[in-house]
Structures are given as C-alpha cells and as structure tokens.
Amino acid sequence: MAVSLPLVVTAQVDLLLVLVSLLAFWTRLSHLNYPNAVVFDEVYYGQFVSLYMKRVFFIDDSGPPLGHMILASGAYLGGFDGNFVWNRIGAEYPSTVNVWSLRLLPALCGALCVPLVYLLTLELKFSHLSALGAAVLLLLENSLIVQSRFMLLESVLIFFVLLAFFSYLRFHNAPSRLVSDFSSHVWLILSGVSCGAAVGVKYMGLFSYLLLLVVASLHTWKLIGDKTISHVSLDFLIVSYPAFILCLVVVPVLLYVFWFYVHLSFLNRSGPHDQLMSSAFQASLQGGLSRITRGQPLEVAYGSQVTLRSSVSQPIPCWLHSHKVNYPIRYDNGRGSSHQQQVTCYPFKDVNNWWIIKDPGRQQLVVDTPPRPVRHGDVIQLVHGMTSRFLNSHDVAAPMSPHTQEVSGYIDFNVSMPAQNLWRVDISNREAESEVWKTILSEVRLIHVNTSAVLKLSGVSLPDWGFRQLEVVADKLFKAHSSSLEWTVEEHRYGTSQEQKEREAELHSPTHIDVDRKISFWAKFVELQWKMLTVKQEESEHKYSSSPLEWITMETNIAYWLHSSTNAQIHLIGNPVSWGVANLSLLAYQLLAVVYLLRRRRGLKDVPDGVWDQFVCLGCVCVGGWLVNFVPFLLMDKTLFLYHYLPALCYLYLLSPALLEHAHTHLLRYRALCVGALAVLLSIFLTYRTFCPLTYGSPELSAHQLQGLKWRDTWDILYRRR
C-alpha cells in the first residue's frame, strides 16, 4: 500500500484544560522553597522522612506507609540524607537541605487535582463550562493551595481519590466496555491502582474507595436490567465480571500489601519504635535487640537463663522482674500481704530481669549435655537469677488488684505458708501438643499448678514502695486469648554456673550459640497492622484543633508559619466565598432531591429519565463523597484539624457548578442566574487575592492590614505591632 506524503497528525486540544492546568502548576509550584523553614506538620512528617533516609523502622498509627514513601522519594531526589532535627515549627532549613525537592511531590499532586476535577466533571456528563467552574473553585481555594505547597499528605490523598473516580467513570462511559476491548479496561485497572494508592496514603481513603465500589455495583446492577443492551453484550458483561472484581477489589488489596512489603523490606534497621513490637519482630531488625539475641539458643531447656517479656505493649513493654525488696506488711488500705519478695514487670533492660528454668525434680540450675528442652505441658520452676527466689503465688490478694492472687519471690518465714512454686508451660501458638518452647517465637502462658491461675500483667502501677513498676498477678478469671497472659522469652542463654556468685557474673556476660532464626513477611505484616490499629500515640489538646462541625462554617484557622521577626505568615484559611458556595450547593442538592423524590412518588417526572440518572449519579459521587469523608470524623476520638475537611470539600466544589448547570438547564432558565454565577466567580477571585498574603507568606502585611483579614472573631491572626 502506497503512503502519501506529507504525513499529517491531527490532534484535539482542550485549551480550557491546558489553561487551568498551567494556572494550577503556577499557583502550587511557584516559590515552593519559601519559607525556608519547617511549616506546621512538616515537623511531624519530616521525622519519618529522616527515618526513611536512614532505613530505620517506625510505626505511624495515622496511616499506611505509601504517603511516607512518596514524601521520602521527593527527599531522596533532592539528595536529603536524613540529618536534620525536626524538633520545632519555624526551624530554618540548612543550605544542605533541598526544600524545593521535599515539597515537590505534594505540590504536583495538588496541581494535578485541578485538571482532574475538570475531567471528572465531563465524565459526570456535564458541560465544559461546568468543568471550568469546578476547576476554578479548586484553583482559587486558598486552603488547598496551602496544603499542597508543603510536605503534607492531604493533596496526595485527594489526587488519588479523584483519579480513581475519573478512571472508573471513564471506563463506565466508554461504549467499548461491553465488547472485548482491552483499551477501556485500562481505565478500570487505573481506577483500582488509584484506590489502592489512596488507601495506602491515609486510611480515610478507604471510605472513598468503598463509595466507588458502591457506585460501580449500582452501575453494574442497572446494566444487567437494561433491556436495550443486546444479549451478546450482556453475556460479555457477566463473563467479564471476574475481571471487574480483579481490578477493583484484588488489585487494591494486593497493592495495599505491596506498600507494606516495600516498607518492611526497606526499613530493616532498629529504631525508636522497636519496643512496641514483639521480640520476634525486633530480632528481625538490624541493631537493637537483634545484636543482643543474635546466635541465642533456639530451644528453651532446663537450666536456661531467660528474660520474659510481656506480649502486651500497653501501657508500655516490660519484662518479668524481681528485686531484694519485700511487699509491705500492710497496704495503705489496711489489707495484709505475704511480705515476700516483690515480683513486678519492669519497662527497662536490667540484670534483675533474668530467670532460670528449673526442673522441679532436680536441684541443678545448669543445662545438661545435650540440653533437655522444655515442652508444652511441662511443669517447671522459675528461679530469679540474682536472688535465687522461686516464682511463687498463693491465696493472698494482689496489692493493686485484690480480685487476683499475689505473685512473689518465695521466702520461708515459717508461718504456715508453704511454697507454691510450680508452673505449667502452655504454648498458646503451638502447632503440636509436644511442641518445644522456643526463644522469641513461642507465646507462653504460665499456669500456676496449685490454683490454676495464670501469670498476668495487670498493667497497674505500684505505689512508691514498688518503685512505680507494673503489677504482676495470677488470675483465675482470665480471658482465654488476652495478650496480658502471654510471655515471650526474649534474651536466652544456656546456664553453666551452679554457684550463685559465678551465676551472677554469668548473667552479666552472655554467651551465644549460632542459630539462624527469621520471621516471615506475613507475620510482620499482620503484627504491624494490629499495632497500627491498637497502639495509639498520646493525644493532647492542640491550640488549633477543632471539631468537625466547626469546619463547615470555617470557625477556625491554623497558623502554619510565622516569620521570626516580621509579620510574614502563612495560615490554613479557606476561601470564605467558595466555602459558602459549597455549603449552599450541598443544601440545595438535598432539598432538590427531596422534592424530586416526592413528586416522582406521585408519578410526576420533572426531568427525563436520562437527566434523573445524571442527577442521581452526581449525588452519589459528590454528596456521597462529602458524607464518607466527613461523617467518620464525627465518630473519632482524636485530635482533629481543619485540613481533615479538605477531601470532603473537594466533592462539594465538584457538585456546585454541575448543580447550577442542572438548575439552569432544566428548572430556572433565567439570564440572571448566569450573571449571578459570574458575580460569585469574581467574588471568589477577589477573595483569593485578598488572602494571598496568608496563603503564600508574602507580601508582608502591617498589623492593621492583618486585622482587616480577620473576617471571623474566632480566627487567630498573628501580628506584631511596630
């Protein structure tokens, strides 16, 4: 076939899309390295970026690791080595830190949200004019600009959520989706990837993901009942349903796991959060506990010297401990005690944490050759290494938890209180009934033979006579699967000294035997998930914290940065006019939906079915998106800030122009409506310009000018009088 010359390429370019994209990049990326100082939550996220640069393990209970990996990627591209102390807001970055690179990726995501909203409006089947309106609302929203220009994660979350909905609707609207055309399914795959990324950045992304699944399910159900679709297309739709599940369910789940795989593979060094994890997890990290436990004997034997760590991390990790101090004869409330040696749980490494596993039928405290391993169901005695007292319990009430038994180091006072120091080993995570007790890997309950009570960390702090250490008790009324009942051998050596003085010296100088011991990724993944959900950092009231109901009317602001000597400052303050438009649109949609539903119930259809479907889809995506990103915060017991509202706000900015177009096209065909819309857009632009000094930190304003920007009495605008 002959080829005619010249070759001509024809392309369609949406100039409006290009224009809003360029403006978005300009508003988000210009002067990105200003201020050259730590801004608000950069002090929080920066710590994790530094740990990433040093490959040090950490836990962040606020969300999965993808967000941190994205921020760390930007830091890596700028040559950041992690050597910066993130200890206060306003601290100046040294010349060695590439500030522009640290903030680049969140700013890019924030800029890309503007064209995404434009395209998403088109996929909701509204006009280019509505798409432009939605893009302008995002473009001129001061709070979104501020949140995008710093090393923060809200812009990244919003980007992936918008991309997920756009990709799905692009697939849904493609005519080729009902035929065997792979090109349309690429959008479905991209939607699934975006969902996995959104959840991987912050757990709040999960609610938008679930909303997308609901929308997709409703679309599929409607298609199945659509009689205008041919049987061939319907058969293909049903056959391709597994591919639908694969893209929107399996892909996000696999990606979520993958983020943690990368996270755990990369962060392989011991760090500040190690003690929140199990001994097995800690031992898998380089340094820290792994240096202590490297080469330890795997199997616990009679004569083994061990430290026993409580499996529960609340209130703090601790080890079974005793010292040469007795319980007081009487407690402050008048109750008596056994006056025997105290047994506690101590939250620090200490030589008094060592215990010796003894065979009740033999006197020796050393390991045989070959060692005789301790198995599930064996009865043992535990001898305190430094004082030689036997771990004991009896029918005496515990000091702080009187409904449980006291645990002590037995002293024979010859007062008709015989020793009850036999304990049965119960390996709760055993795979066989004759399983050997293993270092780090086995989770063990120690059951008191005489009373059937279980050795337990109560978690209550003892008074001054107990040095504020944590109470250990024996509990008969225990819950079968409580982690406070379980103990793990953390440090372990085979004892070789029978004499007390020699044994004390041995306890200070451990010997090791080379044993290879690893924990699987899945075990680390499950443990980390559990810790992220259950181990919460201390919550404290913050000057700029707020409640969700205050967000709707923007009752509060957040001072992100204040220059050390001038009035230059940056605040998280939204565009008040845009904020009002968003709230009005939310209310108007709900009222209009109620009117429509009531009239349709009476058989009155104000709009054609196609328009009604478009209106319903708009509500599912926009009003539904606002609900799933706002209502959960009403149920959360944590410190909240205004920026938590930004994902929900974006859905309302998507709703506003589309609802206006619907009203103008089908209900109120008045020219005054268009004039009013233009007036509102002009007001939004003027308000954006008014608050620009607080958005970008420049130009510096006088105290009088700053007072003029305090549009609400509840806003906290800072200024210096000169």
Side-chain angles (χ1 to χ4, degrees):
M1 182 178 64
V3 178
S4 60
L5 296 175
L7 296 175
V8 178
V9 176
T10 303
Q12 287 185 329
V13 178
D14 189 334
L15 294 180
L16 288 178
L17 177 60
V18 173
L19 176 62
V20 296
S21 300
L22 291 175
L23 290 173
F25 282 104
W26 180 71
T27 55
R28 270 69 176 174
L29 271 72
S30 61
H31 304 291
L32 195 58
N33 56 351
Y34 179 83
N36 188 49
V38 177
V39 175
F40 200 63
D41 268 358
E42 285 187 338
V43 75
Y44 176 77
Y45 290 110
Q47 299 175 50
F48 299 127
V49 169
S50 288
L51 292 174
Y52 250 106
M53 294 299 100
K54 298 178 180 181
R55 304 189 67 173
V56 172
F57 172 77
F58 65 84
I59 296 178
D60 178 19
D61 64 353
S62 69
L66 179 60
H68 298 305
M69 288 192 280
I70 290 173
L71 297 180
S73 299
Y76 175 78
L77 292 174
F80 182 57
D81 58 6
N83 292 320
F84 178 75
V85 180
W86 309 85
N87 57 359
R88 66 181 179 88
I89 298 170
E92 291 288 325
Y93 287 114
S95 58
T96 55
V97 176
N98 188 333
V99 181
W100 187 86
S101 177
L102 288 177
R103 297 169 177 170
L104 175 62
L105 295 182
L108 284 175
C109 289
L112 290 171
C113 288
V114 176
L116 266 179
V117 162
Y118 181 95
L119 294 170
L120 183 51
T121 304
L122 296 180
E123 293 304 325
L124 287 168
K125 300 182 179 178
F126 288 90
S127 68
H128 285 80
L129 200 57
S130 291
L132 177 63
V136 168
L137 286 174
L138 249 72
L139 179 69
L140 301 180
E141 174 49 51
N142 299 73
S143 60
L144 288 174
I145 295 173
V146 170
Q147 201 69 14
S148 299
R149 288 174 54 82
F150 302 108
M151 193 172 55
L152 308 171
L153 288 179
E154 270 62 37
S155 63
V156 182
L157 171 63
I158 293 169
F159 167 74
F160 283 122
V161 168
L162 293 176
L163 182 59
F165 273 98
F166 164 70
S167 302
Y168 168 72
L169 290 174
R170 189 65 177 264
F171 161 78
H172 174 71
N173 294 332
S176 58
R177 77 187 188 283
L178 297 179
V179 297
S180 183
D181 183 6
F182 178 74
S183 62
S184 63
H185 284 74
V186 170
W187 291 108
L188 192 62
I189 296 172
L190 180 58
S191 180
V193 170
S194 302
C195 289
V199 179
V201 170
K202 282 197 168 188
Y203 280 128
M204 279 305 299
L206 176 64
F207 297 106
S208 290
Y209 169 50
L210 294 176
L211 174 66
L212 188 143
L213 287 180
V214 170
V215 171
S217 299
L218 292 174
H219 281 160
T220 304
W221 185 250
K222 185 177 180 181
L223 280 174
I224 293 174
D226 190 347
K227 296 181 180 180
T228 63
I229 298 177
S230 67
H231 289 293
V232 175
S233 297
L234 185 59
D235 291 342
F236 175 76
L237 177 66
I238 295 173
V239 170
S240 63
Y241 194 72
F244 182 87
I245 297 295
L246 175 67
C247 294
L248 291 186
V249 178
V250 177
V251 167
V253 171
L254 291 178
L255 280 175
Y256 179 80
V257 175
F258 177 71
W259 309 139
F260 280 94
Y261 179 81
V262 174
H263 178 75
L264 292 172
S265 299
F266 191 77
L267 303 185
N268 58 359
R269 295 176 181 168
S270 175
H273 295 168
D274 289 9
Q275 288 198 351
L276 295 174
M277 311 307 292
S278 68
S279 300
F281 195 110
Q282 292 183 55
S284 69
L285 302 172
Q286 297 177 14
L289 182 62
S290 67
R291 287 188 295 181
I292 300 172
T293 61
R294 185 182 299 116
Q296 287 187 157
L298 176 62
E299 296 184 347
V300 177
Y302 291 104
S304 285
Q305 298 169 355
V306 301
T307 62
L308 290 164
R309 182 183 190 267
S310 173
S311 294
V312 67
S313 296
Q314 297 290 347
I316 49 177
C318 62
W319 292 262
L320 190 66
H321 177 92
S322 189
H323 41 243
K324 289 184 179 180
V325 180
N326 296 353
Y327 290 111
I329 296 176
R330 290 200 176 274
Y331 301 124
D332 293 341
N333 60 7
R335 288 192 298 111
S337 79
S338 66
H339 195 48
Q340 294 185 0
Q341 184 167 296
Q342 295 177 15
V343 172
T344 65
C345 206
Y346 190 50
F348 301 98
K349 301 283 187 179
D350 189 87
V351 71
N352 281 316
N353 296 347
W354 285 95
W355 298 81
I356 302 168
I357 309 295
K358 180 182 176 297
D359 183 346
R362 304 174 68 176
Q363 292 301 315
Q364 67 183 48
L365 296 176
V366 297
V367 175
D368 292 337
T369 304
R372 291 188 300 124
V374 180
R375 300 181 182 275
H376 169 73
D378 286 356
V379 174
I380 63 169
Q381 292 172 311
L382 282 166
V383 181
H384 188 240
M386 297 301 291
T387 64
S388 297
R389 299 298 182 189
F390 285 75
L391 186 70
N392 190 79
S393 186
H394 38 218
D395 192 17
V396 175
M400 308 305 294
S401 307
H403 58 284
T404 60
Q405 294 177 185
E406 176 191 87
V407 174
S408 64
Y410 182 72
I411 303 175
D412 188 0
F413 289 120
N414 195 24
V415 290
S416 301
M417 189 177 286
Q420 298 182 38
N421 53 29
L422 299 180
W423 301 85
R424 188 170 67 254
V425 175
D426 182 271
I427 303 175
S428 58
N429 63 340
R430 65 187 180 276
E431 296 179 358
E433 287 302 312
S434 60
E435 176 137 343
V436 173
W437 187 358
K438 296 184 179 66
T439 306
I440 291 178
L441 302 179
S442 296
E443 294 177 355
V444 170
R445 294 188 300 176
L446 295 171
I447 302 175
H448 191 232
V449 171
N450 297 78
T451 63
S452 298
V454 180
L455 188 71
K456 176 183 176 180
L457 170 65
S458 75
V460 181
S461 294
L462 296 170
D464 290 339
W465 56 255
F467 310 102
R468 297 292 172 182
Q469 296 175 17
L470 300 179
E471 181 189 43
V472 173
V473 301
D475 192 0
K476 294 180 181 179
L477 304 174
F478 57 86
K479 295 180 180 179
H481 301 291
S482 174
S483 57
S484 61
L485 305 171
E486 295 172 346
W487 302 83
T488 302
V489 170
E490 189 171 87
E491 298 178 59
H492 176 210
R493 63 174 76 87
Y494 282 162
T496 59
S497 302
Q498 182 69 28
E499 297 299 323
Q500 178 66 22
K501 288 187 177 180
E502 295 177 0
R503 187 163 60 246
E504 289 180 11
E506 184 179 18
L507 292 174
H508 286 91
S509 56
T511 58
H512 297 310
I513 303 171
D514 289 334
V515 176
D516 184 26
R517 180 166 60 254
K518 293 182 179 179
I519 181 174
S520 69
F521 160 71
W522 289 108
K524 294 173 73 173
F525 173 76
V526 171
E527 180 178 345
L528 184 55
Q529 295 299 298
W530 179 248
K531 294 297 181 183
M532 290 175 65
L533 293 173
T534 58
V535 177
K536 299 296 181 185
Q537 307 296 336
E538 283 191 23
E539 296 285 348
S540 58
E541 193 65 27
H542 193 282
K543 178 181 179 180
Y544 292 108
S545 62
S546 53
S547 68
L549 294 178
E550 292 176 317
W551 303 340
I552 298 176
T553 53
M554 203 164 48
E555 293 284 337
T556 183
N557 68 306
I558 304 176
Y560 268 19
W561 171 79
L562 174 66
H563 194 278
S564 58
S565 59
T566 72
N567 275 329
Q569 55 193 281
I570 294 175
H571 287 256
L572 185 75
I573 295 180
N575 188 314
V577 179
S578 301
W579 219 277
V581 169
N583 292 333
L584 184 62
S585 299
L586 177 64
L587 179 62
Y589 182 92
Q590 294 177 77
L591 292 175
L592 187 56
V594 169
V595 171
Y596 275 158
L597 287 171
L598 290 175
R599 289 176 63 82
R600 291 177 76 88
R601 183 64 177 169
R602 298 293 297 173
L604 302 172
K605 294 186 177 181
D606 300 285
V607 294
D609 288 340
V611 175
W612 169 249
D613 291 341
Q614 181 192 40
F615 180 80
V616 171
C617 184
L618 178 68
C620 288
V621 173
C622 299
V623 179
W626 180 84
L627 286 172
V628 300
N629 282 279
F630 175 74
V631 173
F633 287 114
L634 296 172
L635 310 176
M636 291 184 185
D637 182 21
K638 60 178 291 187
T639 304
L640 300 173
F641 298 92
L642 181 63
Y643 58 73
H644 286 120
Y645 186 61
L646 297 183
L649 183 67
C650 288
Y651 285 101
L652 297 187
Y653 286 164
L654 189 65
L655 171 70
S656 302
L659 184 61
L660 181 64
E661 178 185 331
H662 175 87
H664 179 261
T665 305
H666 304 287
L667 301 175
L668 304 171
R669 298 184 180 180
Y670 300 128
R671 186 170 297 178
L673 199 61
C674 299
V675 175
L678 289 174
V680 170
L681 285 176
L682 179 60
S683 300
I684 289 172
F685 174 75
L686 294 176
T687 307
Y688 157 76
R689 290 292 301 166
T690 300
F691 283 94
C692 268
L694 298 183
T695 301
Y696 295 97
S698 64
E700 178 193 353
L701 300 181
S702 66
H704 178 73
Q705 289 172 314
L706 288 171
Q707 282 182 312
L709 292 180
K710 192 173 182 180
W711 287 17
R712 300 189 71 104
D713 293 336
T714 52
W715 288 359
D716 186 21
I717 306 295
L718 311 171
Y719 53 88
R720 293 181 174 89
R721 296 186 182 275
R722 296 182 180 178

